[in-house]
Amino acid sequence: MNFLKKVVIAMDLSQEPLESLKSIRTLDFLKESEIHFVHVFNTYNYSFMFGDFPLIYPVEADRKAIEDGVLNLLKEKTKDILPSGFIGSTVMKCLFADDPKSRFCDYLKSELPSLVIVPARKKHGFFESSFAQYVGRHSEANLLILKREI
């Protein structure tokens, strides 16, 4: 029985979130799913520096190289994350946005996944502004939060 046809996993390419995502290996109900690994590359808009000519980093000419690098990293890092005996399919995505949380939620609205998996810290500080909290409030998808110690 495969009730989760499409699953989206938010990927932060730093080491700590990847450690918490390794617990996905034990989720046998994902074996036949279409799993989307999505990383949103944060862009910066420097419009205040150059007046009428805004500069957005990374510039369009560099985005293809960055996207290729991120996709290669995703392929390498996700080998240890997939459940053993995985027979489903994977989709790697690198998106660019100056507001990664919002862009990720826009991707969820377009793909309509059955489940979204987000790594998160176990405890936050004084201000609660986590990625997982934002996704929970601004998306209609079911959300699985994998907490890690920090």
Side-chain angles (χ1 to χ4, degrees):
M1 179 175 112
N2 187 14
F3 64 95
L4 297 174
K5 293 184 181 0
K6 189 182 291 188
V7 177
V8 175
I9 300 176
M11 295 294 293
D12 181 359
L13 295 177
S14 62
Q15 193 60 34
E16 295 85 17
L18 289 174
E19 290 302 317
S20 65
L21 286 175
K22 286 190 178 179
S23 62
I24 291 174
R25 288 186 65 77
T26 62
L27 303 178
D28 289 336
F29 57 84
L30 296 177
K31 283 185 179 181
E32 298 176 8
S33 299
E34 177 183 322
I35 300 178
H36 293 231
F37 293 100
V38 180
H39 175 75
V40 183
F41 193 92
N42 196 10
T43 61
Y44 298 95
N45 188 345
Y46 296 108
S47 61
F48 63 89
M49 294 175 79
F50 301 106
D52 294 335
F53 305 104
L55 175 65
I56 298 174
Y57 176 79
V59 295
E60 283 295 324
D62 294 339
R63 287 189 184 195
K64 181 65 177 151
I66 291 171
E67 182 179 9
D68 291 344
V70 168
L71 294 178
N72 286 335
L73 272 173
L74 286 174
K75 287 176 187 171
E76 178 185 320
K77 302 286 184 184
T78 57
K79 289 177 188 172
D80 297 332
I81 294 173
L82 293 171
S84 56
F86 180 74
I87 58 172
S89 61
T90 59
V91 176
M92 308 295 174
K93 287 285 184 179
C94 176
L95 309 173
F96 293 89
D98 58 349
D99 184 4
K101 295 175 186 178
S102 176
R103 179 64 183 102
F104 185 77
C105 288
D106 289 344
Y107 182 80
L108 297 178
K109 287 176 189 169
S110 68
E111 291 295 323
L112 301 172
S114 305
L115 177 68
V116 178
I117 300 175
V118 177
R121 290 181 288 184
K122 205 170 212 178
K123 185 176 179 183
H124 287 274
F126 184 71
F127 295 104
E128 194 68 39
S129 63
S130 75
F131 186 84
Q133 180 186 21
Y134 186 92
V135 171
R137 286 188 178 182
H138 294 90
S139 114
E140 295 181 12
N142 294 316
L143 180 64
L144 174 63
I145 300 173
L146 300 176
K147 294 190 175 187
R148 66 183 191 275
E149 299 267 345
I150 286 192

